[in-house]
Amino acid sequence: MCGIVGVVGTTMVNQVIFDALTLLQHRGQDAAGMVTSHNGKLFLRKDNGAVSEVFRTRHMKKLCGTIGIGHARYPTAGTSSSAEAQPFYVNSPYGISLAHNGNLTNTKKLAQEVFEADLRHINTTSDSEVLLNVLAHELHAEGKLVPKPSDIFNSLERVYARIQGGYAVVSLITGYGILAFRDPDGIRPLIYGSRETADGTEYMVASESVALDAAGFKVERDINPGEAIFVDVNRNIHFKQCTPAKVARPCLFEYVYFARPDTVIDNISVYKARINMGEKLAEKIEEEWLNHDIDVVIPIPDTSRTAALQIAQRLNIPFREGLVKNRYIGRTFIMPGQTVRRKSVRQKLNPVPFEFKDKVVLLVDDSIVRGTTSKEIIEMAREAGAKKVYIASAAPEVRYPNVYGIDMPAAAELIAHGRTAEEICRLIGADKLIFQNLDDLINACIDEKHSNVREFDTSVFDGKYITGNIDAEYLENLEKARNDVQKSGSEPQQSSDMMQPF
């Protein structure tokens, strides 16, 4: 999962992109990058680390231009080497930079085509570089010295015909504008907005609406599934449905965990969806845990806080902040390597003994993936004096890998894969464990008043991959690529600065 942003402005856009990436930092902490354009020249800075670490004052001064794109990365099937930080760049045609959120599910086939038929070289293991070269090849095939928006959209129609998976993309075509597009199922989020200045209208596209809100951009709408938007250097905006429209089926896990609560995706408020998750889960607790003895509800910060508060209100039980989070430790779910995640849990969270001692505690988490965090926190709760420790998950059991851009790991690493809730409960050391029902989670996210979305990508819960091209061989290869042993291996770090190195 990554965060992307593109801006066409009337003044320097480096600070706007930096601020947007900071707001999207929760989507990826492995690496960050930005490319801007001024007078036909490109300026790129990217490296491993958080946004504030990658972009120092000396870098920002050199990122000049009124048009640019940015990326906040966390690794999926690739590595965490700085060589894979985005945006990627190719010089032909025009000079194209690209940043990508998601995952292409036919990367192996595409990479072979790019090399054998398109005669292009791929330098990393990233599917984003493959996608960039496919786009560059199709733009080159148009054969236009000065491409019109119609030429760009025509080439993109062929790109859609070649690529498969879940993706949201921003691309800077040097001297011409920014192109952004979304996968045909709308799995990965992409939204655009505008703001008026004294010198004219500026435009931004981003992964989440919060990036637009904070910068003073008016949210216009989500990019539709299979739709592309092109904003030229003169700030004229163009749209094209580049592949037949499908029913939007956004990733359900965006609402559960990844997106910020103040974000709206496909006209569905993430905050309201999480309130509904808590309400649905409280109803299940009332039905299945008759005469429960819960003394206090404690969220596992931060994502589960909204659902936990609703559970406490519905059950009429005190809500307490019993776990204090160190805000300078990243999200353990998206850290590369199981050893790093395990170590980080106790660095990230510390219990308040007063809230645990001699109490029956209901811990609420947004989901249970590997079980690492849950097991460590339950141990911490017992060490703090809890009499009993129950745990509730706002999401159902995560049983299957994600193939659309979330590093939901190999099946063997998922604690719920092939296990019952009772077995999971014993493994993590809880006294009781309850999961949300999938139908309840779906209904919690549906907003009939504001959104026409009625279906979601639920593959991590039910193993139904909506793009329809996922088989056992693909999942087996994915498992090999994602195993934690490979991810934790060391790689030579390469210089990641291009064009104007700094």
Side-chain angles (χ1 to χ4, degrees):
M1 186 60 59
C2 302
I4 60 175
V5 60
V7 180
V8 181
T10 58
T11 58
M12 301 275 279
V13 297
N14 55 355
Q15 188 64 51
V16 176
I17 294 174
F18 175 90
D19 293 342
L21 290 178
T22 302
L23 289 162
L24 298 173
Q25 184 74 88
H26 59 285
R27 301 184 68 87
Q29 300 158 10
D30 180 66
M34 182 193 313
V35 61
T36 60
S37 177
H38 179 66
N39 290 336
K41 292 185 178 180
L42 295 178
F43 304 89
L44 172 66
R45 167 64 182 171
K46 61 178 183 176
D47 203 350
N48 279 2
V51 174
S52 60
E53 297 168 339
V54 172
F55 302 107
R56 302 294 188 179
T57 301
R58 64 183 183 275
H59 306 126
M60 294 292 286
K61 287 180 177 178
K62 297 179 181 179
L63 288 165
C64 55
T66 59
I67 183 171
I69 62 176
H71 187 264
R73 177 183 185 266
Y74 97 106
T76 52
T79 72
S80 56
S81 165
S82 62
E84 306 228 349
Q86 297 183 40
F88 284 113
Y89 168 80
V90 291
N91 69 345
S92 176
Y94 316 121
I96 306 171
S97 307
L98 180 142
H100 165 223
N101 170 35
N103 185 56
L104 301 186
T105 55
N106 62 335
T107 304
K108 184 177 180 180
K109 177 176 179 290
L110 281 173
Q112 186 174 358
E113 289 178 1
V114 165
F115 179 71
E116 296 179 354
D118 299 351
L119 304 180
R120 289 177 172 270
H121 175 71
I122 304 299
N123 199 47
T124 71
T125 62
S126 174
D127 61 335
S128 302
E129 189 187 11
V130 175
L131 174 55
L132 169 60
N133 278 275
V134 171
L135 174 61
H137 174 80
E138 298 302 340
L139 280 169
H140 188 271
E142 285 293 302
K144 301 295 178 63
L145 179 62
V146 181
K148 298 177 181 178
S150 59
D151 301 318
I152 293 170
F153 290 140
N154 287 341
S155 66
L156 191 56
E157 289 178 3
R158 297 192 298 275
V159 172
Y160 270 109
R162 294 179 65 179
I163 65 177
Q164 298 172 340
Y167 48 87
V169 180
V170 290
S171 178
L172 170 58
I173 304 174
T174 308
Y176 297 102
I178 284 180
L179 173 68
F181 54 99
R182 191 180 184 191
D183 68 80
D185 294 286
I187 299 172
R188 300 270 67 89
L190 191 64
I191 194 167
Y192 91 95
S194 64
R195 70 178 180 185
E196 298 300 326
T197 72
D199 297 315
T201 306
E202 300 180 320
Y203 294 96
M204 177 190 288
V205 291
S207 295
E208 295 187 26
S209 62
V210 64
L212 281 69
D213 295 335
F217 282 75
K218 173 189 174 185
V219 172
E220 297 291 349
R221 64 174 175 86
D222 296 272
I223 305 301
N224 292 323
E227 184 185 27
I229 174 176
F230 179 67
V231 184
D232 64 36
V233 290
N234 296 315
R235 303 187 310 282
N236 299 308
I237 191 165
H238 313 267
F239 300 93
K240 179 70 180 294
Q241 187 70 39
C242 291
T243 190
K246 294 184 179 180
V247 174
R249 290 183 285 185
C251 174
L252 195 55
F253 219 72
E254 288 279 358
Y255 303 93
V256 170
Y257 176 81
F258 269 104
R260 281 176 51 134
D262 46 348
T263 282
V264 176
I265 298 176
D266 289 307
N267 292 318
I268 299 170
S269 164
V270 174
Y271 180 78
K272 183 62 184 299
R274 291 177 184 168
I275 288 177
N276 295 340
M277 291 174 203
E279 184 71 16
K280 296 287 186 182
L281 192 52
E283 291 174 4
K284 186 175 181 181
I285 292 172
E286 287 178 326
E287 292 174 3
E288 298 188 6
W289 291 2
L290 297 175
N291 303 316
H292 64 77
D293 56 348
I294 302 169
D295 294 318
V296 62
V297 175
I298 295 178
I300 297 176
D302 283 317
T303 320
S304 64
R305 185 173 283 115
T306 306
L309 182 57
Q310 191 65 22
I311 290 172
Q313 291 180 343
R314 173 66 184 256
L315 300 180
N316 196 27
I317 296 172
F319 172 90
R320 294 290 185 267
E321 295 282 359
L323 293 166
V324 178
K325 180 180 179 181
N326 179 350
R327 299 185 182 277
Y328 303 99
I329 297 291
R331 302 176 89 175
T332 54
F333 173 79
I334 63 177
M335 287 182 175
Q338 182 77 337
T339 302
V340 177
R341 281 187 292 269
R342 186 179 295 112
K343 181 181 178 182
S344 294
V345 172
R346 288 184 182 254
Q347 293 177 332
K348 182 176 74 169
L349 297 173
N350 196 51
V352 179
F354 172 80
E355 295 296 353
F356 288 91
K357 187 171 178 56
D358 299 326
K359 293 180 182 179
V360 177
V361 177
L362 175 64
L363 296 174
V364 179
D365 208 350
D366 52 77
S367 58
I368 298 175
V369 182
R370 297 171 178 88
T372 307
T373 299
S374 301
K375 184 175 182 179
E376 290 288 333
I377 292 174
I378 289 168
E379 289 179 3
M380 290 163 58
R382 295 196 190 283
E383 291 167 4
K387 187 162 55 176
K388 294 180 183 177
V389 182
Y390 303 155
I391 189 164
S393 170
E397 297 92 327
V398 176
R399 300 188 183 277
Y400 304 93
N402 184 280
V403 302
Y404 302 124
I406 301 177
D407 194 18
M408 209 70 78
E413 295 178 38
L414 297 169
I415 194 169
H417 184 74
R419 294 189 177 99
T420 65
E422 291 75 20
E423 291 171 329
I424 299 167
C425 184
R426 287 196 296 271
L427 282 172
I428 63 176
D431 293 292
K432 282 187 178 181
L433 169 64
I434 192 165
F435 287 97
Q436 184 90 264
N437 294 330
L438 181 55
D439 286 344
D440 286 342
L441 177 59
I442 292 171
N443 289 330
C445 295
I446 290 175
D447 186 342
E448 294 184 353
K449 183 177 180 181
H450 301 101
S451 175
N452 61 3
V453 172
R454 299 293 181 269
E455 301 177 39
F456 298 87
D457 163 44
T458 58
S459 54
V460 298
F461 306 119
D462 59 15
K464 297 177 181 177
Y465 297 100
I466 61 177
T467 56
N469 63 325
I470 307 302
D471 56 19
E473 181 183 3
Y474 180 89
L475 294 175
E476 182 180 350
N477 291 333
L478 184 67
E479 183 163 347
K480 291 177 182 177
R482 286 184 172 178
N483 74 77
D484 279 328
V485 174
Q486 179 175 333
K487 273 194 194 170
S488 61
S490 60
E491 277 196 27
Q493 295 297 299
Q494 303 177 34
S495 172
S496 61
D497 297 321
M498 302 158 54
M499 297 169 287
Q500 294 286 332
F502 54 88

